[in-house]
Amino acid sequence: MKCSNEVVYKGIEERKGGVFKNDKGQDIKYDNAYVVRFDEVVEGNAIERKVKFDGKNISLYSKFRALKIYDKINVVFDVSIQNTGCKLTILDFNLVK
């Protein structure tokens, strides 16, 4: 299922991959990812949101890097419903003029 929303872009950063131990002492590996920060306006209040996407998606990263802070964008997401909740995946975005 796809959805979109107009938001205010606040930046992008790289999250390096690595390993951590969970509460059972097991090693949990996670891959590189990019984290996009933006504000969503809900009932007149700006609420900061963070969404990550795969670190291998260099074209989407480059597109975000070309934006200016506080640009208004319309983000397109894929929404997948899972047993533990919903997952949002950024597919693309367009600059709002």
Side-chain angles (χ1 to χ4, degrees):
M1 170 175 23
K2 291 184 182 172
C3 71
S4 64
N5 194 18
E6 188 174 304
V7 298
V8 177
Y9 175 73
K10 291 179 68 180
I12 188 167
E13 58 191 41
E14 184 176 8
R15 186 198 72 192
K16 298 288 187 186
V19 178
F20 71 93
K21 289 197 182 293
N22 66 9
D23 58 347
K24 296 176 184 166
Q26 301 166 319
D27 285 343
I28 305 296
K29 182 181 177 198
Y30 58 94
D31 295 328
N32 288 355
Y34 294 108
V35 180
V36 180
R37 292 182 306 119
F38 54 83
D39 280 344
E40 177 184 24
V41 178
V42 178
E43 297 178 2
N45 296 309
I47 300 173
E48 184 175 86
R49 308 286 189 197
K50 294 180 184 178
V51 180
K52 65 181 178 180
F53 63 91
D54 191 329
K56 296 175 187 158
N57 194 340
I58 302 301
S59 62
L60 187 58
Y61 171 74
S62 297
K63 192 172 176 183
F64 272 112
R65 290 290 298 167
L67 291 173
K68 295 180 183 119
I69 301 298
Y70 303 123
D71 276 348
K72 287 186 181 180
I73 59 174
N74 187 41
V75 183
V76 179
F77 298 97
D78 178 50
V79 180
S80 60
I81 300 171
Q82 303 170 343
N83 290 339
T84 58
C86 293
K87 178 181 178 185
L88 289 177
T89 303
I90 297 175
L91 298 176
D92 200 7
F93 69 89
N94 297 301
L95 195 59
V96 175
K97 297 184 183 203

mmCIF file of all heavy atoms in Angstrom, residues 4 9 19 22 31-32 35 37-38 41-42 46 56-57 59 62 65-66 68 76 82-83 90 94:
data_model
loop_
_atom_site.group_PDB
_atom_site.id
_atom_site.type_symbol
_atom_site.label_atom_id
_atom_site.label_comp_id
_atom_site.label_asym_id
_atom_site.label_seq_id
_atom_site.Cartn_x
_atom_site.Cartn_y
_atom_site.Cartn_z
ATOM 1 N N SER A 4 1.302 9.141 0.825
ATOM 2 C CA SER A 4 2.217 10.278 0.723
ATOM 3 C C SER A 4 1.797 11.341 1.717
ATOM 4 O O SER A 4 0.659 11.363 2.194
ATOM 5 C CB SER A 4 2.231 10.839 -0.695
ATOM 6 O OG SER A 4 0.971 11.356 -1.030
ATOM 7 N N TYR A 9 11.561 19.172 5.240
ATOM 8 C CA TYR A 9 12.839 18.455 5.312
ATOM 9 C C TYR A 9 13.777 19.116 6.309
ATOM 10 O O TYR A 9 13.938 20.331 6.315
ATOM 11 C CB TYR A 9 13.471 18.437 3.918
ATOM 12 C CG TYR A 9 14.849 17.847 3.846
ATOM 13 C CD1 TYR A 9 15.046 16.479 3.970
ATOM 14 C CD2 TYR A 9 15.960 18.659 3.642
ATOM 15 C CE1 TYR A 9 16.314 15.932 3.894
ATOM 16 C CE2 TYR A 9 17.232 18.118 3.557
ATOM 17 C CZ TYR A 9 17.402 16.756 3.689
ATOM 18 O OH TYR A 9 18.656 16.218 3.603
ATOM 19 N N VAL A 19 27.324 -4.121 15.075
ATOM 20 C CA VAL A 19 26.830 -5.262 15.838
ATOM 21 C C VAL A 19 26.609 -4.820 17.276
ATOM 22 O O VAL A 19 27.377 -4.032 17.816
ATOM 23 C CB VAL A 19 27.853 -6.424 15.812
ATOM 24 C CG1 VAL A 19 27.381 -7.596 16.648
ATOM 25 C CG2 VAL A 19 28.143 -6.878 14.391
ATOM 26 N N ASN A 22 22.050 -8.229 22.264
ATOM 27 C CA ASN A 22 20.713 -8.020 22.820
ATOM 28 C C ASN A 22 20.686 -8.477 24.281
ATOM 29 O O ASN A 22 21.706 -8.882 24.837
ATOM 30 C CB ASN A 22 19.648 -8.725 21.972
ATOM 31 C CG ASN A 22 19.754 -10.242 21.996
ATOM 32 O OD1 ASN A 22 20.510 -10.826 22.757
ATOM 33 N ND2 ASN A 22 18.988 -10.883 21.132
ATOM 34 N N ASP A 31 22.778 -3.288 9.189
ATOM 35 C CA ASP A 31 23.455 -2.727 8.018
ATOM 36 C C ASP A 31 23.452 -1.203 8.053
ATOM 37 O O ASP A 31 22.703 -0.578 8.812
ATOM 38 C CB ASP A 31 22.752 -3.197 6.740
ATOM 39 C CG ASP A 31 22.866 -4.702 6.542
ATOM 40 O OD1 ASP A 31 23.894 -5.282 6.955
ATOM 41 O OD2 ASP A 31 21.929 -5.291 5.980
ATOM 42 N N ASN A 32 24.283 -0.610 7.183
ATOM 43 C CA ASN A 32 24.274 0.843 6.998
ATOM 44 C C ASN A 32 22.883 1.288 6.581
ATOM 45 O O ASN A 32 22.182 0.571 5.866
ATOM 46 C CB ASN A 32 25.247 1.260 5.902
ATOM 47 C CG ASN A 32 26.688 1.132 6.312
ATOM 48 O OD1 ASN A 32 27.005 0.806 7.454
ATOM 49 N ND2 ASN A 32 27.576 1.382 5.378
ATOM 50 N N VAL A 35 19.234 8.047 7.592
ATOM 51 C CA VAL A 35 18.119 8.484 8.427
ATOM 52 C C VAL A 35 17.717 9.886 7.983
ATOM 53 O O VAL A 35 18.527 10.814 8.020
ATOM 54 C CB VAL A 35 18.492 8.474 9.922
ATOM 55 C CG1 VAL A 35 17.307 8.934 10.761
ATOM 56 C CG2 VAL A 35 18.968 7.090 10.352
ATOM 57 N N ARG A 37 15.355 13.162 8.559
ATOM 58 C CA ARG A 37 14.570 13.866 9.577
ATOM 59 C C ARG A 37 13.682 14.890 8.885
ATOM 60 O O ARG A 37 14.123 15.590 7.975
ATOM 61 C CB ARG A 37 15.484 14.579 10.578
ATOM 62 C CG ARG A 37 16.262 13.647 11.450
ATOM 63 C CD ARG A 37 17.131 14.362 12.482
ATOM 64 N NE ARG A 37 18.010 15.352 11.857
ATOM 65 C CZ ARG A 37 17.982 16.654 12.118
ATOM 66 N NH1 ARG A 37 17.141 17.159 12.975
ATOM 67 N NH2 ARG A 37 18.804 17.464 11.502
ATOM 68 N N PHE A 38 12.427 14.951 9.315
ATOM 69 C CA PHE A 38 11.511 15.954 8.782
ATOM 70 C C PHE A 38 10.446 16.273 9.815
ATOM 71 O O PHE A 38 10.262 15.524 10.777
ATOM 72 C CB PHE A 38 10.885 15.502 7.455
ATOM 73 C CG PHE A 38 10.213 14.157 7.494
ATOM 74 C CD1 PHE A 38 8.912 14.015 7.958
ATOM 75 C CD2 PHE A 38 10.877 13.033 7.042
ATOM 76 C CE1 PHE A 38 8.290 12.784 7.987
ATOM 77 C CE2 PHE A 38 10.271 11.791 7.059
ATOM 78 C CZ PHE A 38 8.970 11.659 7.530
ATOM 79 N N VAL A 41 3.369 18.434 10.187
ATOM 80 C CA VAL A 41 2.477 19.337 10.906
ATOM 81 C C VAL A 41 1.186 18.584 11.212
ATOM 82 O O VAL A 41 0.481 18.133 10.314
ATOM 83 C CB VAL A 41 2.191 20.617 10.100
ATOM 84 C CG1 VAL A 41 1.227 21.511 10.848
ATOM 85 C CG2 VAL A 41 3.492 21.354 9.805
ATOM 86 N N VAL A 42 0.923 18.423 12.520
ATOM 87 C CA VAL A 42 -0.267 17.709 12.991
ATOM 88 C C VAL A 42 -1.030 18.639 13.915
ATOM 89 O O VAL A 42 -0.509 19.057 14.952
ATOM 90 C CB VAL A 42 0.117 16.412 13.741
ATOM 91 C CG1 VAL A 42 -1.120 15.706 14.265
ATOM 92 C CG2 VAL A 42 0.941 15.496 12.856
ATOM 93 N N ALA A 46 4.343 21.167 14.891
ATOM 94 C CA ALA A 46 5.387 20.506 14.113
ATOM 95 C C ALA A 46 5.944 19.355 14.941
ATOM 96 O O ALA A 46 6.451 19.558 16.042
ATOM 97 C CB ALA A 46 6.496 21.492 13.768
ATOM 98 N N LYS A 56 22.301 1.215 0.764
ATOM 99 C CA LYS A 56 22.709 0.926 -0.615
ATOM 100 C C LYS A 56 21.959 1.780 -1.632
ATOM 101 O O LYS A 56 22.301 1.779 -2.806
ATOM 102 C CB LYS A 56 22.483 -0.551 -0.931
ATOM 103 C CG LYS A 56 23.342 -1.462 -0.094
ATOM 104 C CD LYS A 56 23.012 -2.910 -0.336
ATOM 105 C CE LYS A 56 23.772 -3.773 0.649
ATOM 106 N NZ LYS A 56 23.169 -5.068 0.836
ATOM 107 N N ASN A 57 20.945 2.505 -1.185
ATOM 108 C CA ASN A 57 20.129 3.319 -2.088
ATOM 109 C C ASN A 57 20.776 4.699 -2.266
ATOM 110 O O ASN A 57 20.294 5.715 -1.776
ATOM 111 C CB ASN A 57 18.703 3.433 -1.554
ATOM 112 C CG ASN A 57 17.740 3.965 -2.574
ATOM 113 O OD1 ASN A 57 18.138 4.591 -3.560
ATOM 114 N ND2 ASN A 57 16.462 3.736 -2.347
ATOM 115 N N SER A 59 21.053 6.564 -4.950
ATOM 116 C CA SER A 59 20.308 7.543 -5.758
ATOM 117 C C SER A 59 19.317 8.328 -4.905
ATOM 118 O O SER A 59 19.196 9.546 -5.055
ATOM 119 C CB SER A 59 19.610 6.863 -6.936
ATOM 120 O OG SER A 59 18.663 5.930 -6.479
ATOM 121 N N SER A 62 21.356 10.745 -2.717
ATOM 122 C CA SER A 62 21.824 11.902 -3.496
ATOM 123 C C SER A 62 20.702 12.900 -3.727
ATOM 124 O O SER A 62 20.920 14.118 -3.677
ATOM 125 C CB SER A 62 22.386 11.438 -4.838
ATOM 126 O OG SER A 62 23.505 10.626 -4.637
ATOM 127 N N ARG A 65 20.234 14.805 -0.531
ATOM 128 C CA ARG A 65 21.356 15.712 -0.293
ATOM 129 C C ARG A 65 21.248 16.987 -1.131
ATOM 130 O O ARG A 65 21.818 18.010 -0.767
ATOM 131 C CB ARG A 65 22.690 15.014 -0.584
ATOM 132 C CG ARG A 65 23.062 13.943 0.395
ATOM 133 C CD ARG A 65 23.426 14.463 1.736
ATOM 134 N NE ARG A 65 24.605 15.327 1.633
ATOM 135 C CZ ARG A 65 25.024 16.114 2.582
ATOM 136 N NH1 ARG A 65 24.395 16.175 3.719
ATOM 137 N NH2 ARG A 65 26.079 16.861 2.404
ATOM 138 N N ALA A 66 20.529 16.931 -2.232
ATOM 139 C CA ALA A 66 20.370 18.109 -3.093
ATOM 140 C C ALA A 66 19.352 19.103 -2.526
ATOM 141 O O ALA A 66 19.280 20.239 -2.985
ATOM 142 C CB ALA A 66 19.952 17.679 -4.495
ATOM 143 N N LYS A 68 17.531 21.668 0.283
ATOM 144 C CA LYS A 68 17.938 22.647 1.280
ATOM 145 C C LYS A 68 17.124 22.372 2.547
ATOM 146 O O LYS A 68 15.977 21.934 2.479
ATOM 147 C CB LYS A 68 17.670 24.064 0.788
ATOM 148 C CG LYS A 68 18.498 24.436 -0.420
ATOM 149 C CD LYS A 68 18.187 25.850 -0.852
ATOM 150 C CE LYS A 68 18.980 26.171 -2.095
ATOM 151 N NZ LYS A 68 18.158 26.502 -3.234
ATOM 152 N N VAL A 76 6.696 9.983 -0.652
ATOM 153 C CA VAL A 76 5.888 8.809 -0.997
ATOM 154 C C VAL A 76 6.452 7.612 -0.240
ATOM 155 O O VAL A 76 7.654 7.342 -0.307
ATOM 156 C CB VAL A 76 5.910 8.534 -2.515
ATOM 157 C CG1 VAL A 76 5.089 7.306 -2.852
ATOM 158 C CG2 VAL A 76 5.419 9.755 -3.277
ATOM 159 N N GLN A 82 2.617 -5.506 9.354
ATOM 160 C CA GLN A 82 3.255 -6.711 9.862
ATOM 161 C C GLN A 82 2.602 -7.122 11.176
ATOM 162 O O GLN A 82 1.766 -6.382 11.709
ATOM 163 C CB GLN A 82 4.758 -6.453 10.056
ATOM 164 C CG GLN A 82 5.434 -5.990 8.788
ATOM 165 C CD GLN A 82 6.851 -5.491 9.013
ATOM 166 O OE1 GLN A 82 7.255 -5.197 10.130
ATOM 167 N NE2 GLN A 82 7.608 -5.396 7.937
ATOM 168 N N ASN A 83 2.991 -8.257 11.709
ATOM 169 C CA ASN A 83 2.412 -8.744 12.976
ATOM 170 C C ASN A 83 2.673 -7.801 14.138
ATOM 171 O O ASN A 83 1.850 -7.676 15.040
ATOM 172 C CB ASN A 83 2.967 -10.127 13.323
ATOM 173 C CG ASN A 83 2.455 -11.190 12.382
ATOM 174 O OD1 ASN A 83 1.434 -11.018 11.731
ATOM 175 N ND2 ASN A 83 3.175 -12.290 12.290
ATOM 176 N N ILE A 90 10.535 4.711 2.552
ATOM 177 C CA ILE A 90 10.521 5.842 1.622
ATOM 178 C C ILE A 90 10.786 5.322 0.215
ATOM 179 O O ILE A 90 11.786 4.646 -0.024
ATOM 180 C CB ILE A 90 11.584 6.884 1.994
ATOM 181 C CG1 ILE A 90 11.295 7.487 3.363
ATOM 182 C CG2 ILE A 90 11.638 7.996 0.938
ATOM 183 C CD1 ILE A 90 12.369 8.437 3.853
ATOM 184 N N ASN A 94 8.958 14.488 -3.901
ATOM 185 C CA ASN A 94 8.958 15.589 -4.853
ATOM 186 C C ASN A 94 8.966 16.894 -4.076
ATOM 187 O O ASN A 94 8.333 17.012 -3.027
ATOM 188 C CB ASN A 94 7.700 15.545 -5.738
ATOM 189 C CG ASN A 94 7.671 14.301 -6.565
ATOM 190 O OD1 ASN A 94 8.566 14.050 -7.353
ATOM 191 N ND2 ASN A 94 6.634 13.493 -6.390
#
